[in-house]
């Protein structure tokens, strides 16, 4: 088992429907992730990268736009999302599709921050080191509900020598691995 936060193991269309539902069916969620000033900025940037003014961006333009707003996704995550959003397979996404991509990134960042805070609760002295037993207790409670066996297996990933402690920042780095920026793929966008 290799823990990483990456493209989900589910049908792309179902995943997009889930993200779309989370984002657009709850005004509070939408306003939290896209307050008016941020939405205006993203829409203006989207329009700047839509050089042929057809209201769509191709894969390369989405990468450029994400880079311009300092939002980088794992290459496989972006490809998964882009392909799932590109229902007609023209190699293009609209602004609302772009919001789904950004929302997925923000959502992952929130989960990472929650995990860091959970580790900081256990690491009161902020040494970066956790006792395996304390982490096991957290995994078996606090909403994680791991069985003892699954908790032991998970801890072995980070404490393979059973030393009774591990560097929790390595857990974060492993779960939220960063890759190189996504590579541009050949454009299917037709120029006017």
């Amino acid at each position: 088992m290799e823990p990483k936060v990456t493209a989900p193991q589910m049908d792309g269309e179902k995943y997009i429907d889930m993200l779309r539902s989370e984002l657009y069916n709850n005004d509070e969620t939408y306003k939290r992730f896209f307050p008016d000033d941020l939405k205006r900025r993203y829409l203006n940037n989207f329009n700047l990268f839509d050089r042929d003014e057809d209201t769509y961006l191709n894969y390369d333009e989405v990468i450029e736009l994400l880079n311009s707003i300092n939002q980088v996704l794992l290459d496989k995550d972006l490809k998964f999302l882009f392909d799932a959003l590109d229902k007609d397979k023209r190699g293009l996404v609209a602004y609302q599709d772009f919001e789904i991509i950004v929302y997925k990134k923000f959502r992952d960042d929130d989960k990472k921050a929650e995990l860091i805070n959970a580790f900081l609760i256990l690491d009161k002295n902020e040494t970066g080191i956790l006792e395996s037993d304390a982490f096991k207790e957290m995994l078996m409670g606090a909403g994680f509900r791991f069985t003892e066996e699954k908790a032991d297996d998970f801890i072995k990933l980070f404490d393979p020598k059973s030393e009774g402690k591990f560097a929790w920042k390595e857990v974060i780095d492993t779960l939220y691995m960063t890759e190189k920026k996504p590579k541009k793929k050949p454009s299917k966008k037709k120029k006017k």
Side-chain angles (χ1 to χ4, degrees):
M1 176 175 113
E2 191 174 278
K4 292 179 187 165
V5 175
T6 61
Q9 302 299 313
M10 74 165 56
D11 174 73
E13 196 170 313
K14 287 180 184 173
Y15 186 68
I16 293 301
D17 287 345
M18 179 196 72
L19 289 174
R20 190 172 274 127
S21 176
E22 283 179 16
L23 182 60
Y24 296 118
N25 291 346
N26 182 331
D27 282 343
E28 287 180 30
T29 301
Y30 186 81
K31 288 177 182 175
R32 176 175 167 235
F33 288 100
F34 294 98
D36 290 341
D37 59 328
L38 188 61
K39 181 178 178 166
R40 269 193 304 278
R41 191 175 115 218
Y42 284 173
L43 186 54
N44 286 338
N45 285 359
F46 185 94
N47 290 331
L48 285 172
F49 284 93
D50 178 20
R51 292 175 186 98
D52 61 3
E53 299 177 1
D54 66 352
T55 69
Y56 293 95
L57 297 183
N58 66 35
Y59 187 80
D60 291 343
E61 291 167 333
V62 169
I63 291 171
E64 289 177 42
L65 176 52
L66 288 169
N67 289 338
S68 79
I69 60 172
N70 296 317
Q71 297 297 325
V72 179
L73 279 79
L74 295 175
D75 190 37
K76 59 187 156 199
D77 283 350
L78 182 56
K79 284 179 184 169
F80 174 83
L81 292 169
F82 190 92
D83 290 345
L85 288 162
D86 180 23
K87 289 182 181 179
D88 59 7
K89 304 303 175 206
R90 294 181 338 168
L92 302 171
V93 295
Y95 176 75
Q96 196 172 34
D97 300 326
F98 174 72
E99 282 187 342
I100 297 292
I101 293 170
V102 173
Y103 170 65
K104 195 264 187 214
K105 171 69 170 135
F106 286 161
R107 190 173 166 257
D108 287 351
D109 289 349
D110 272 2
K111 288 179 180 180
K112 181 179 179 181
E114 286 176 23
L115 188 57
I116 289 170
N117 287 333
F119 280 128
L120 287 171
I121 289 168
L122 293 174
D123 184 13
K124 291 177 176 70
N125 297 325
E126 296 186 26
T127 62
I129 304 296
L130 279 187
E131 298 295 320
S132 297
D133 289 341
F135 184 57
K136 181 177 175 178
E137 285 180 35
M138 184 182 90
L139 290 174
M140 292 172 58
F144 292 102
R145 298 189 184 119
F146 274 56
T147 64
E148 186 169 359
E149 183 180 340
K150 286 192 180 214
D152 287 337
D153 289 343
F154 191 73
I155 289 169
K156 283 180 188 172
L157 292 169
F158 306 104
D159 184 13
K161 296 178 185 174
S162 299
E163 297 171 347
K165 60 185 178 184
F166 62 94
W168 64 263
K169 290 178 183 177
E170 289 178 24
V171 175
I172 301 292
D173 291 343
T174 300
L175 291 172
Y176 294 90
M177 293 185 89
T178 55
E179 291 182 354
K180 296 176 185 170
K181 291 183 178 179
K183 299 172 193 87
K184 293 181 179 181
K185 68 181 185 182
S187 175
K188 294 181 185 178
K189 189 171 182 179
K190 294 178 183 174
K191 299 293 177 189
K192 292 182 180 177

